[in-house]
């Protein structure tokens, strides 16, 4: 009698710069755990053609809402060493599970030519009606956003909400995770976003400023806390954490996504990329101290508003935890 065959969809990050793209392929196996696997690194900018094998190391597994179970992987070189593109590895050594991250992933849906949905007949009416808007003249892509939400929940991701954003065709969802898994979950949620949009013939644009002018860019506000912040917080603690992040602002910006200078202009609810500030309830600051934290006697979380929509969550986590631990 033959064993039952299982399908696993392996997901990994390629070697493209400045940000990696997501790759995936499906393995059919009788093994009840996804084994290590290989791929052609010369086709993903991760190896030369003369020595092209790279190794996929399964690190996290999810229920497969599209059929195959999802397997997040790290990449090793053919010599079984950590691949230079593997940003997860550094994160793994830094972050403990008492660190919680709530990512607010913003993005645009576009047609396959890169035009945001709703912009096919030219530039739409100015911003104002679109944020959390309802009505066919105020939103574009809702059916895809909601299909994505359902897939994330089926996969066991802690997506805690979604909304139409300030520009037409722009959306956001929030993804909460603990420790290293926060980074895994965000990457898997992005994978599902690209995959479900495919089925509608639509693309996902993670660029932080797809449309210049008086249009909001896309960020990935990163809410974070650790045990001390949640249970033993104080004004002194919270401001000292902000000061520490401010002292390495330039290093942080390097970790927070490319082309972020086009978004962090001081307009559209952002601080300038060359300046660092923090403030209570201040959406024009680099770091916002949320009113929740104040109302809980300085126990709670902080919101780093600097990361761009295209940032690698492993690098964000490494920067924040590396700076504050
Ligand atoms: Mg937002």
């Amino acid at each position: 009698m033959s064993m039952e065959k299982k399908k696993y969809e392996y997901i990994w990050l390629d070697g493209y710069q400045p940000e990696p793209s997501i790759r995936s392929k499906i393995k059919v196996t009788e093994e009840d755990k996804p084994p290590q696997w290989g791929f052609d690194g010369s086709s993903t900018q991760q190896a030369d053609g003369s020595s092209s094998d790279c190794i996929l190391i399964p690190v996290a597994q999810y229920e497969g809402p599209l059929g195959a179970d999802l397997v997040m992987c790290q990449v090793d070189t053919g010599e079984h060493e950590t691949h230079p593109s593997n940003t997860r590895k550094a994160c793994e050594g830094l972050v403990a599970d008492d660190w919680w991250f709530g990512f607010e992933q913003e993005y645009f849906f576009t047609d396959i030519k890169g035009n945001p949905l709703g912009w096919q007949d030219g530039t739409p009416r100015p911003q104002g009606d679109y944020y959390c808007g309802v009505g066919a003249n105020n939103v574009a892509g809702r059916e895809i956003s909601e299909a994505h939400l359902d897939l994330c929940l089926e996969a066991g991701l802690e997506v805690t909400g979604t909304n139409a954003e300030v520009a037409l065709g722009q959306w956001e969802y929030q993804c909460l995770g603990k420790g290293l898994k926060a980074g895994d979950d965000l990457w898997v949620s992005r994978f599902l976003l690209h995959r479900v949009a495919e089925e509608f013939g639509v693309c996902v644009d993670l660029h932080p400023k797809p449309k210049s002018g008086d249009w909001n860019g896309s960020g990935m506000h990163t809410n974070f806390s650790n045990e001390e912040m949640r249970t033993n917080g104080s004004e002194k603690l919270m401001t000292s954490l902000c000061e520490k992040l401010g002292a390495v602002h330039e290093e942080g910006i390097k970790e927070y996504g490319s082309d972020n200078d086009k978004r962090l202009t001081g307009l559209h609810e952002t601080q300038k990329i060359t300046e660092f500030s923090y403030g209570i309830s201040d959406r024009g600051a680099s770091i916002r101290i949320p009113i929740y934290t104040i109302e809980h006697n300085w126990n709670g979380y902080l919101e780093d508003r600097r990361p761009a929509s295209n940032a690698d969550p492993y690098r964000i986590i490494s920067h924040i935890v590396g700076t504050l631990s």
Side-chain angles (χ1 to χ4, degrees):
M1 191 176 77
S2 72
M3 301 276 288
E4 194 190 343
K5 295 217 196 294
K6 289 216 59 166
K7 287 189 290 182
Y8 295 108
E9 185 148 20
Y10 285 54
I11 301 167
W12 76 98
L13 306 177
D14 67 18
Y16 278 65
Q17 296 285 337
E19 278 81 34
S21 312
I22 302 172
R23 306 282 176 145
S24 81
K25 60 174 184 169
I26 292 177
K27 184 176 192 65
V28 180
T29 175
E30 290 173 353
E31 297 187 46
D32 54 11
K33 264 183 25 190
Q36 290 188 9
W37 200 14
F39 70 98
D40 168 17
S42 71
S43 297
T44 60
Q45 300 204 354
Q46 284 166 305
D48 293 330
S50 58
S51 173
S52 63
D53 288 343
C54 288
I55 301 167
L56 294 171
I57 316 285
V59 290
Q61 200 173 324
Y62 301 81
E63 289 283 325
L66 296 163
D69 278 358
L70 305 178
V71 180
M72 189 67 200
C73 297
Q74 283 189 171
V75 175
D76 270 7
T77 67
E79 290 75 42
H80 296 271
E81 286 164 358
T82 301
H83 194 278
S85 64
N86 181 350
T87 53
R88 186 184 188 277
K89 191 73 188 176
C91 199
E92 191 177 47
L94 274 175
V95 61
D97 282 349
D98 83 305
W99 282 96
W100 298 359
F101 297 90
F103 295 111
E104 303 175 23
Q105 175 73 68
E106 294 178 334
Y107 62 92
F108 280 78
F109 285 128
T110 74
D111 62 23
I112 55 170
K113 291 180 182 157
N115 257 324
L117 293 193
W119 294 56
Q120 279 74 11
D121 297 329
T123 303
R125 308 185 317 280
Q127 293 184 164
D129 294 328
Y130 309 126
Y131 171 73
C132 297
V134 293
N137 54 344
N138 291 328
V139 293
R142 185 191 301 283
E143 63 283 16
I144 316 172
S145 163
E146 295 198 352
H148 172 247
L149 175 62
D150 288 343
L151 291 181
C152 286
L153 295 177
E154 283 173 48
L157 300 172
E158 275 197 64
V159 172
T160 58
T162 181
N163 59 273
E165 264 301 339
V166 174
L168 184 59
Q170 188 187 31
W171 291 83
E172 170 180 315
Y173 63 90
Q174 302 94 36
C175 188
L176 173 71
K178 297 178 180 175
L180 185 60
K181 190 170 185 302
D184 297 336
D185 288 2
L186 199 275
W187 275 117
V188 171
S189 74
R190 281 181 180 173
F191 167 78
L192 288 171
L193 184 60
H194 289 287
R195 277 289 281 102
V196 71
E198 250 181 53
E199 300 189 6
F200 292 85
V202 164
C203 301
V204 175
D205 189 350
L206 289 182
H207 191 276
K209 195 76 173 183
K211 289 289 177 185
S212 58
D214 204 10
W215 296 97
N216 273 40
S218 299
M220 190 162 71
H221 299 157
T222 299
N223 301 279
F224 64 92
S225 66
N226 61 17
E227 183 73 23
E228 184 182 22
M229 293 165 73
R230 289 189 297 271
T231 62
N232 196 22
S234 63
E235 180 172 4
K236 185 160 170 266
L237 173 71
M238 292 298 179
T239 55
S240 79
L241 298 176
C242 292
E243 296 283 347
K244 279 184 192 171
L245 285 167
V248 291
H249 173 65
E250 280 180 37
E251 290 91 326
I253 289 296
K254 286 185 194 137
E255 302 303 313
Y256 282 0
S258 62
D259 286 334
N260 207 8
D261 56 315
K262 298 181 174 67
R263 162 183 166 259
L264 296 179
T265 58
L267 301 172
H268 305 111
E269 304 171 66
T270 69
Q271 174 57 287
K272 288 192 189 110
I273 196 164
T274 50
E275 287 176 27
F276 177 87
S277 64
Y278 58 91
I280 295 165
S281 229
D282 185 355
R283 286 185 158 73
S286 313
I287 295 184
R288 178 174 68 99
I289 304 173
I291 202 75
Y292 173 96
T293 299
I294 308 297
E295 286 179 348
H296 291 77
N297 198 23
W298 292 89
N299 293 297
Y301 63 98
L302 295 171
E303 179 195 31
D304 194 336
R305 297 177 61 78
R306 297 171 295 168
S309 45
N310 57 1
D312 174 352
Y314 297 135
R315 291 174 66 180
I316 298 175
I317 293 172
S318 289
H319 178 72
I320 291 175
V321 177
T323 302
L324 301 182
S325 306

